[in-house]
Amino acid sequence: MSEQTSPLINETVQDENHIIAERRAKLAEWRATGKAYPNDFSRENTAGKIAEVYASKSGEELEAAPVEVKVAGRIMLKRVMGKASFITISDLSGRIQLYVARDKVGEETYTAFKRWDIGDIIGAVGTLFRTKTEELTVQCSDIRLLSKSLRPLPEKFHGLTDQEQKYRMRYLDLIMNEQSRFTFAARSRIVQSIRNYMTGHGFLEVETPMMHPIPGGASARPFKTHHNALDMELFPHRTRVIPEKTGRWRLREGLRGQPQLPQRRNESAPQPRIHHDGVLRGVLRIPQADGLHRRPAAPRGT
């Protein structure tokens, strides 16, 4: 019996295809102007830094001493209201609101701006002020489209909630979820802190091969692959045995200890391992030094 597709799914796919077709038409129009995808815009301020530095400034203070900023980010919210509009853009550091008025940016720019979509990446120059609700906002004197988004983002109320989609489409997870961006930034800082600590204590970081001509893994059945460029059979590691072998070889060469932070990810692995596998394993499995400078043994099962 053939499976029938839900009418709701068909309608959703058709709507998305229609949106993509409309955006492709807008992209074609933009390309025809000869101004598509400019590379001469350089961001000077981030949303997070602006909020941090000017959070305590009142509207009167900002008006008395104007602060010009140059920001860029992805459009996440858009409210068009006749001759003036508000948009919210997002970068890696956070979000900030922009005020776009026709008499400030010009008729031609404002007309083009109204055709931009949620998800587009824009750059803007303007001064800071506070709205009636005391929200820190950039009053734009110039605004430009930098990159066109062809696919619609997930609707803003529920966001990206499908766990499988989060792992398969990391870029979409980072666009939509602030917590995911925080996690990635925190992980990078943790790895950097560990690396700084180890190098500051006399360790030398080395890189070891993930494929080897000799099978390893104790009694585990080796996984074999063919390297086309070298025309030879290689054995990717299934356990930590192969990197530990090369670690011992480095000891033989006179390197006392070599922490290794493997730069690898396995999106299909169980969730608890995804974020810590490359950090904890690489740090705890440090080859032992000679008897005079022996360090405590690494705990098993890490």
Side-chain angles (χ1 to χ4, degrees):
M1 178 182 292
S2 61
E3 295 183 358
Q4 295 183 352
T5 306
S6 167
L8 181 60
I9 295 178
N10 281 333
E11 184 179 349
T12 303
V13 172
Q14 290 175 3
D15 289 344
E16 183 172 339
N17 290 338
H18 179 68
I19 293 173
I20 293 173
E22 285 185 342
R23 294 191 177 193
R24 286 190 179 278
K26 292 180 181 179
L27 175 60
E29 294 176 5
W30 188 32
R31 287 184 184 278
T33 65
K35 301 177 181 179
Y37 298 105
N39 61 2
D40 58 346
F41 185 90
S42 179
R43 179 181 64 182
E44 297 177 358
N45 310 92
T46 61
K49 194 65 176 179
I50 291 173
E52 178 185 344
V53 175
Y54 300 103
S56 60
K57 297 287 185 180
S58 66
E60 291 76 14
E61 291 175 313
L62 292 173
E63 186 177 356
V67 178
E68 185 174 85
V69 295
K70 195 172 184 180
V71 296
R74 187 181 298 274
I75 300 176
M76 304 303 292
L77 297 171
K78 184 180 180 183
R79 301 181 296 280
V80 178
M81 301 175 291
K83 298 179 181 180
S85 304
F86 286 95
I87 62 172
T88 300
I89 64 171
S90 172
D91 60 24
L92 187 61
S93 66
R95 295 188 177 194
I96 190 168
Q97 181 174 259
L98 274 59
Y99 174 71
V100 186
R102 186 174 63 183
D103 60 343
K104 293 289 185 180
V105 300
E107 181 72 35
E108 182 181 352
T109 300
Y110 190 72
T111 301
F113 159 78
K114 291 194 292 185
R115 290 178 55 79
W116 299 347
D117 298 299
I118 302 294
D120 290 351
I121 297 176
I122 62 98
V125 179
T127 55
L128 295 177
F129 78 104
R130 289 196 179 274
T131 63
K132 295 179 180 179
T133 59
E134 294 298 316
E135 182 171 355
L136 191 62
T137 305
V138 179
Q139 184 172 24
C140 298
S141 57
D142 184 31
I143 188 167
R144 302 170 62 187
L145 180 61
L146 303 179
S147 182
K148 185 67 185 171
S149 173
L150 298 181
R151 292 185 175 274
L153 297 178
E155 51 93 10
K156 62 182 180 181
F157 182 76
H158 292 97
L160 185 63
T161 57
D162 188 334
Q163 197 74 8
E164 180 71 14
Q165 192 178 20
K166 285 183 179 182
Y167 289 146
R168 300 294 179 184
M169 304 174 73
R170 255 322 166 185
Y171 58 92
L172 197 57
D173 183 30
L174 290 172
I175 290 173
M176 298 303 299
N177 297 326
E178 185 176 354
Q179 182 60 43
S180 295
R181 292 196 295 272
F182 173 81
T183 300
F184 269 66
R187 181 188 184 278
S188 177
R189 294 190 185 100
I190 291 170
V191 172
Q192 186 62 45
S193 177
I194 294 171
R195 180 174 281 113
N196 291 341
Y197 176 84
M198 301 304 290
T199 55
H201 284 72
F203 287 86
L204 181 66
E205 183 178 359
V206 299
E207 295 181 0
T208 57
M210 291 296 103
M211 292 191 294
H212 203 274
I214 303 173
S219 60
R221 186 176 65 179
F223 177 79
K224 183 170 66 175
T225 187
H226 184 78
H227 196 299
N228 290 330
L230 299 178
D231 191 24
M232 63 184 297
E233 302 296 329
L234 292 175
F235 301 89
H237 79 87
R238 294 185 61 179
T239 67
R240 299 298 302 171
V241 172
I242 290 178
E244 287 174 358
K245 281 183 178 179
T246 53
R248 296 189 189 102
W249 296 341
R250 301 294 82 78
L251 283 177
R252 182 182 62 193
E253 295 160 6
L255 300 181
R256 189 176 69 85
Q258 321 97 35
Q260 180 190 18
L261 305 182
Q263 300 299 313
R264 71 182 192 277
R265 293 184 63 81
N266 184 2
E267 300 293 358
S268 61
Q271 185 175 356
R273 290 190 55 183
I274 287 178
H275 296 296
H276 71 247
D277 181 67
V279 179
L280 296 186
R281 286 186 172 224
V283 172
L284 294 179
R285 292 183 179 273
I286 301 172
Q288 299 302 305
D290 56 65
L292 295 178
H293 303 283
R294 196 166 198 62
R295 290 178 177 266
R300 300 247 178 217
T302 55

